[in-house]
């Protein structure tokens, strides 16, 4: 059966079939032999599912970020994580009592890795408890919720970051550097293809109440976000068209496939595809007057592969979640500024575009963005 996991495995065949790269081979990965005695971000993960587990494992290689707590609805998982990651009982919470985290001085931040619809209420509660928040994508189900989350974190004086791991990926950053340096000349076109064949029809990703939509919320968001960081501009309009080949599996409000287009102030346009019905879709292409860049795969767990008119991109692979957590610790604890933002405002920009895409699908009209 095809699932998101098998999709990611397809994208990362090389990573899985080749021996795992050592940390020395990973550019930005923390150097095991260099002692670190700076500040450490102590993190509790909320939602011990597939991605939460991946983040927890990757964090074991971090120096600036440490997994110290869990919030979960499944006591058996809590026990297993306590043993595996040496997590003390006093740092374990469930969804009813995690507001008490406010009285726990040993936790600095909570990483919310639950189904999409839960992000909004959970982030509001974490902010109220006075802890920094890292929230998975999509940050919320719509821009209204996203704005409330940004406002709540501002009011509580805590940071809100979104798990945009590609913002720290070396080949991605090289293309952004080249674009900023003018190496592609004027860029007028971007294409983003994001999709996989989703399996199990009972999973929360196909449940509108928990997912908030379909492929667009889950995987199409990579093309939206990628268009913005690759072009370095915010869209001023969108158009979108939805198609559905399986109305049984993709119920009302759960999009199977959406094609969408965006227009930018410079005159550049983007053409993107988001789908839960097709394989082999993980590709970015940027075209400028003097050159081009291509990433394929572009947003899987890696290794990311890419080339430009100047040749293959050779930046080494890193474990995205390790580097993301190191960098996010720097942002939260030291006020570091990432090359591509990962804050709540950044998450909100994507949500505004998602709102507009759904409206464009419904009305058939071009939607202007402020
Ligand atoms: P999973 O279904 O694997 O895990 C979600 C976890 O959330 C569950 O294991 C459960 O943990 C908890 N949970 C709480 N309430 C519910 C509920 N009502 N239904 C189901 N689970 C619940 O999902 P993923 O880990 O794949 O995805 C979680 C989030 O991470 C999503 O927002 C997704 O978009 C994002 N994600 C991001 C990726 C990235 O590359 N940045 C990749 C994959 C996912 P517990 O039993 O501990 O309560």
């Amino acid at each position: 059966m095809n699932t998101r996991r098998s999709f990611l495995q397809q994208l990362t065949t090389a990573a899985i079939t080749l021996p795992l790269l050592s940390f020395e081979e990973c550019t930005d990965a923390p150097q095991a032999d260099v002692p670190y005695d700076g500040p450490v971000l102590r993190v509790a993960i909320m939602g011990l599912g597939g991605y939460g587990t991946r983040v927890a494992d990757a964090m074991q290689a971090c120096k600036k970020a440490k997994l110290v707590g869990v919030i979960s609805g499944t006591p058996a998982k809590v026990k297993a994580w306590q043993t595996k990651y040496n997590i003390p009982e006093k740092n374990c919470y469930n969804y009813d009592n995690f507001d008490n985290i406010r009285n726990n001085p040993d936790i600095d931040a909570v990483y919310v890795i639950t189904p999409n619809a839960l992000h909004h209420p959970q982030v509001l509660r974490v902010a109220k408890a006075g802890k920094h928040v890292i929230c998975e994508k999509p940050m919320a189900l719509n821009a209204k919720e996203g704005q409330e989350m940004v406002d709540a974190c501002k009011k509580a004086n805590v940071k809100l970051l979104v798990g945009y791991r590609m913002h720290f990926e070396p080949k991605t950053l090289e293309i952004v550097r080249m674009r900023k340096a003018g190496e592609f000349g004027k860029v007028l076109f971007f294409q983003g293809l994001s999709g996989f064949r989703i399996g199990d029809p009972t999973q929360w990703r196909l449940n509108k109440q928990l997912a908030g939509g379909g492929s667009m919320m889950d995987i199409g968001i990579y093309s939206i976000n990628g268009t913005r960081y690759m072009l370095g501009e915010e869209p001023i309009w969108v158009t979108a068209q939805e198609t559905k080949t399986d109305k049984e599996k993709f119920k009302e409000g759960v999009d199977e496939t959406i094609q969408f287009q965006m227009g930018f102030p410079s005159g550049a346009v983007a053409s993107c595809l988001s789908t839960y019905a097709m394989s082999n879709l993980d590709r970015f292409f940027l075209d400028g007057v003097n050159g081009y860049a291509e990433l394929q795969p572009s947003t899987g767990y890696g290794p990311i592969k890419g080339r430009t008119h100047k040749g293959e991109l050779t930046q080494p692979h890193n474990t995205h979640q390790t580097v993301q957590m190191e960098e996010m610790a720097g942002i939260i604890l030291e006020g570091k500024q990432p090359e591509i933002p990962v804050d709540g405002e950044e998450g909100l920009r994507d949500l505004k575009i998602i709102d507009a895409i759904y409206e464009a699908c419904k009305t058939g009209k071009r939607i202007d963005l402020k």
Side-chain angles (χ1 to χ4, degrees):
M1 188 182 297
N2 252 318
T3 61
R4 178 188 172 81
R5 174 168 297 174
S6 69
F7 157 75
L8 287 166
Q9 279 170 346
Q10 269 176 16
L11 296 180
T12 59
T13 309
I16 289 158
T17 53
L18 292 171
L20 283 179
L21 295 172
S22 70
F23 286 114
E24 286 75 9
E25 290 170 280
C26 303
T27 29
D28 300 325
Q31 297 288 304
D33 51 346
V34 180
Y36 174 76
D37 60 1
V40 173
L41 184 74
R42 296 161 307 169
V43 179
I45 289 184
M46 181 186 296
L48 315 184
Y51 197 62
T53 302
R54 182 175 288 271
V55 171
D57 287 342
M59 278 182 74
Q60 301 312 303
C62 289
K63 285 187 169 174
K64 293 184 175 179
K66 185 170 166 31
L67 173 65
V68 298
V70 290
I71 301 157
S72 168
T74 313
K77 287 191 210 166
V78 174
K79 279 269 161 287
W81 279 49
Q82 280 193 265
T83 309
K84 186 168 177 196
Y85 303 116
N86 199 17
I87 294 169
E89 186 69 31
K90 69 175 185 56
N91 289 355
C92 298
Y93 297 86
N94 59 43
Y95 299 114
D96 294 327
N97 68 14
F98 77 80
D99 308 274
N100 295 336
I101 213 164
R102 76 161 58 83
N103 304 317
N104 191 332
D106 298 330
I107 295 174
D108 304 309
V110 174
Y111 194 160
V112 175
I113 318 186
T114 53
N116 308 340
L118 306 178
H119 296 174
H120 172 260
Q122 289 169 340
V123 166
L124 295 189
R125 283 171 67 187
V126 173
K128 213 164 171 200
K131 302 295 178 183
H132 300 295
V133 202
I134 303 168
C135 179
E136 255 319 311
K137 45 58 55 179
M139 186 174 92
L141 300 190
N142 52 53
K144 180 178 175 293
E145 283 188 1
Q147 186 67 60
E148 286 168 6
M149 292 155 77
V150 167
D151 293 344
C153 290
K154 211 174 277 172
K155 190 170 161 209
N157 203 20
V158 295
K159 289 243 163 61
L160 169 60
L161 306 182
V162 185
Y164 287 132
R165 62 189 159 76
M166 301 315 296
H167 292 204
F168 306 104
E169 196 283 316
K171 293 188 180 75
T172 303
L173 289 172
E174 172 60 8
I175 296 174
V176 170
R177 186 202 64 73
M178 288 176 73
R179 189 252 303 149
K180 284 184 178 170
E183 293 180 33
F184 303 117
K186 189 168 171 57
V187 177
L188 284 174
F189 180 70
F190 178 82
Q191 184 190 44
L193 306 176
S194 301
F196 64 99
R197 278 176 67 78
I198 198 160
D200 179 8
T202 65
Q203 64 185 287
W204 67 260
R205 282 185 167 80
L206 295 173
N207 171 348
K208 163 114 170 118
Q209 299 290 22
L210 284 171
S215 73
M216 184 59 64
M217 303 301 288
D218 191 38
I219 193 79
I221 190 170
Y222 284 98
S223 271
I224 297 174
N225 192 249
T227 302
R228 293 178 42 251
Y229 61 69
M230 284 295 179
L231 290 177
E233 287 191 89
E234 297 303 322
I236 48 176
W237 57 259
V238 306
T239 49
Q241 309 81 35
E242 181 177 1
T243 49
K244 208 173 261 199
T245 61
D246 186 344
K247 291 199 169 129
E248 188 49 43
K249 189 166 186 179
F250 304 102
K251 304 242 161 27
E252 182 63 30
V254 179
D255 48 283
E256 176 189 314
T257 299
I258 294 179
Q259 292 185 78
F260 58 100
Q261 304 78 34
M262 296 184 268
F264 292 83
S266 67
V269 290
S271 172
C272 302
L273 180 74
S274 164
T275 185
Y276 266 161
M278 297 169 224
S279 308
N280 311 309
L281 289 174
D282 183 16
R283 180 172 186 264
F284 285 176
F285 180 74
L286 173 129
D287 195 47
V289 176
N290 299 333
Y292 69 90
E294 181 186 45
L295 289 175
Q296 184 175 19
S298 56
T299 64
Y301 296 143
I304 300 301
K305 288 195 179 145
R307 63 195 170 108
T308 72
H309 58 291
K310 294 184 170 166
E312 292 291 315
L313 292 170
T314 54
Q315 290 70 22
H317 171 66
N318 64 33
T319 302
H320 297 174
Q321 296 80 8
T322 305
V323 176
Q324 175 200 316
M325 291 310 292
E326 285 292 274
E327 292 298 322
M328 287 190 166
I331 292 168
I332 291 174
L333 298 173
E334 299 160 34
K336 264 183 88 173
Q337 292 293 327
E339 191 59 38
I340 311 171
V342 285
D343 55 17
E345 299 284 352
E346 173 75 6
L348 183 54
R349 285 184 198 106
D350 285 341
L351 293 173
K352 286 180 180 167
I353 296 168
I354 290 178
D355 283 355
I357 287 171
Y358 281 139
E359 193 184 337
C361 286
K362 214 182 313 169
T363 61
K365 292 193 174 132
R366 176 177 124 158
I367 308 298
D368 290 326
L369 295 157
K370 286 189 200 86

